[in-house]
Amino acid sequence: MKVSIVVGTRPQIIKSAPVYHALAKSGHECDIVNTGQHYDYEMNKIFFKELSLPDPSADLNVGAGTPSEQVSAIVAGLGKLFASAKPDLVISPGDTNSALSAGIAAAKSGVPLAHLESGCRSNDFQMAEEVNRRILDHMSQLLLCPTPGCVKNVRAEKVLADEVVNVGDTMYDSLLRFVPSLQKIDAASKHGLEEGGYAFMTLHRAETVDDPGSLRSVLEGVGSLGIPVAFSVHPRTRERLRAFNVSPGPNVTLLEPLPYVETLSMASRSKFVVTDSGGLQKEAYWLGKAVLIPRDETEWHEIVDAGAAFLTGSSAEKIRRDARKLSRVRQSAFKATKRIFGRGNASENVVRAVSRFLGAGGKKGS
Ligand code: UD1
């Protein structure tokens, strides 16, 4: 049985890596197809290297474009590929344009589809990812959910999948693999920062950075926190800073987009994290760091409910107010709901679910 995992952006590579390794170990024939939605070395290939993945079996090199251009190029490329490679199952991780496109291409090619990280919801239909993940869930035959809450979400929507399985979060598997080596990697001092004496920040969501008012307000908020801020800047954000002529405050140091392990190291040595990334919200939580989330909602509300993260929106005043609460976050907040993301063996659970699904004949896609 041949399983193809389709990736194209950095979070998808991180989510997929432990699944690829577990599938390969279990004897499944498995390959990785790269759409090339992210195309800079530090946004894509470096993660293959860090996470010990083989070169992709195919690279579509779609690059930048409007969402419609990205989706149509990927669907067309994958359609051709699936017709010749004939995988028995396509695994599509996450909620990016690459993830949606892999789902459409699989469905149109009659290839069974599994959605990895199924069921997470922000209930914000303005968000491209919310639309992508909902459509993907309804196209897929095998739903691999990271938390019990995600299972509840797809059940509530009455999706017609053959199987819905709570496997745990494969990003947690990836993180646990690298936690022992984080002691040895001191990314903070490389950037002239003292352990526990800075905030680590990433911003890349269209809702945060494509609106000049919201981008300015978030930067004004973090600019007034009275602590050095190490800001790993996504290419989209760098472009918006330039286009809107916005400069962060003097306490903010701009960094290139950091590789995976360096990102974990920066988060683990920080005082706290500021991020609109869903992935980094969870990583910070697993590393015991409190988070300011400059959004109005999150897919990972369990972390907010546990008191380890604060939804500040883009208001500078709310960022300042919530930052004052960070010192009162207790260590118990990080233990309260950690297990809802699994025990670090999500990828093995994925292999079991995939084997069962394929053994049962893997219903053909619609
Ligand atoms: C995408 C995903 C988002 C995910 C994020 C991770 C969608 C709708 N969004 O957002 O869910 O959290 O990836 O990073 O799929 N660019 C470069 N070099 C690159 C990649 C992008 O310069 O290697 C620039 C280009 O100008 C591009 C822009 O960033 O147009 C946005 O990239 P895109 O892939 O469209 O969306 P992301 O913001 O990265």
Side-chain angles (χ1 to χ4, degrees):
M1 289 290 187
K2 184 172 167 189
V3 180
S4 283
I5 307 177
V6 180
V7 301
T9 64
R10 54 185 185 172
Q12 291 184 291
I13 303 168
I14 297 164
K15 283 164 203 173
S16 301
V19 174
Y20 172 84
H21 291 302
L23 281 169
K25 195 169 152 200
S26 74
H28 282 286
E29 194 189 333
C30 182
D31 69 347
I32 299 188
V33 175
N34 189 10
T35 68
Q37 179 179 340
H38 283 175
Y39 46 92
D40 291 338
Y41 176 78
E42 64 271 19
M43 296 290 289
N44 189 308
K45 288 287 159 54
I46 193 167
F47 298 98
F48 277 78
K49 203 166 149 220
E50 282 188 290
L51 293 157
S52 315
L53 291 172
D55 287 340
S57 58
D59 210 323
L60 303 181
N61 291 310
V62 294
T66 65
S68 310
E69 284 164 350
Q70 275 178 344
V71 171
S72 50
I74 299 169
V75 172
L78 290 179
K80 273 193 202 128
L81 194 74
F82 295 159
S84 61
K86 300 194 187 334
D88 296 293
L89 178 73
V90 165
I91 298 183
S92 185
D95 52 20
T96 63
N97 289 338
S98 290
L100 170 68
S101 313
I104 297 173
K108 295 298 167 196
S109 308
V111 179
L113 173 67
H115 183 202
L116 179 67
E117 198 183 67
S118 164
C120 79
R121 298 286 183 266
S122 65
N123 296 313
D124 174 3
F125 285 92
Q126 300 302 314
M127 205 182 156
E129 291 84 353
E130 180 72 3
V131 175
N132 292 347
R133 56 172 84 109
R134 282 179 183 257
I135 298 173
L136 251 179
D137 279 340
H138 284 265
M139 282 193 296
S140 302
Q141 290 77 51
L142 176 59
L143 299 185
L144 303 165
C145 301
T147 67
C150 291
V151 172
K152 252 194 202 163
N153 289 341
V154 291
R155 296 256 188 248
E157 286 169 26
K158 299 194 179 358
V159 288
L160 290 174
D162 294 348
E163 265 200 79
V164 181
V165 193
N166 176 27
V167 288
D169 198 315
T170 62
M171 287 191 104
Y172 189 38
D173 297 17
S174 276
L175 176 128
L176 288 182
R177 182 183 152 204
F178 287 97
V179 161
S181 52
L182 291 182
Q183 297 288 348
K184 288 172 243 150
I185 301 158
D186 185 359
S189 62
K190 189 171 123 187
H191 299 294
L193 296 157
E194 261 178 48
E195 176 151 8
Y198 66 94
F200 179 56
M201 177 164 84
T202 75
L203 302 172
H204 78 284
R205 296 231 161 260
E207 304 77 48
T208 322
V209 304
D210 284 4
D211 174 55
S214 130
L215 181 57
R216 271 203 186 88
S217 175
V218 172
L219 291 175
E220 185 199 321
V222 298
S224 61
L225 294 182
I227 182 170
V229 176
F231 182 12
S232 172
V233 189
H234 184 287
R236 174 197 278 271
T237 311
R238 191 171 288 279
E239 164 53 24
R240 297 300 183 265
L241 290 171
R242 196 196 52 75
F244 303 149
N245 197 19
V246 176
S247 306
N251 63 325
V252 179
T253 306
L254 302 187
L255 309 175
E256 292 304 311
L258 299 182
Y260 178 57
V261 182
E262 217 172 300
T263 297
L264 295 184
S265 170
M266 287 297 285
S268 71
R269 288 171 189 259
S270 69
K271 188 164 186 201
F272 60 90
V273 170
V274 182
T275 190
D276 60 358
S277 149
L280 186 57
Q281 272 169 49
K282 291 182 288 180
E283 287 161 344
Y285 179 70
W286 297 326
L287 292 167
K289 298 294 162 181
V291 187
L292 297 179
I293 307 169
R295 293 173 56 189
D296 297 322
E297 71 328 280
T298 175
E299 296 74 16
W300 311 111
H301 58 88
E302 292 90 346
I303 299 177
V304 176
D305 296 344
F310 299 87
L311 282 169
T312 66
S314 59
S315 150
E317 177 46 34
K318 181 93 165 56
I319 290 171
R320 278 191 287 272
R321 219 177 324 131
D322 285 345
R324 288 197 285 274
K325 298 179 191 159
L326 291 173
S327 58
R328 298 200 294 273
V329 174
R330 294 178 183 278
Q331 276 309 306
S332 56
F334 299 100
K335 298 200 179 98
T337 52
K338 202 171 203 159
R339 288 286 184 238
I340 66 146
F341 296 101
R343 294 171 181 268
N345 60 349
S347 40
E348 286 147 33
N349 294 335
V350 169
V351 172
R352 264 194 293 279
V354 163
S355 301
R356 205 169 45 234
F357 178 78
L358 291 174
K363 251 194 191 174
K364 288 288 173 198
S366 48

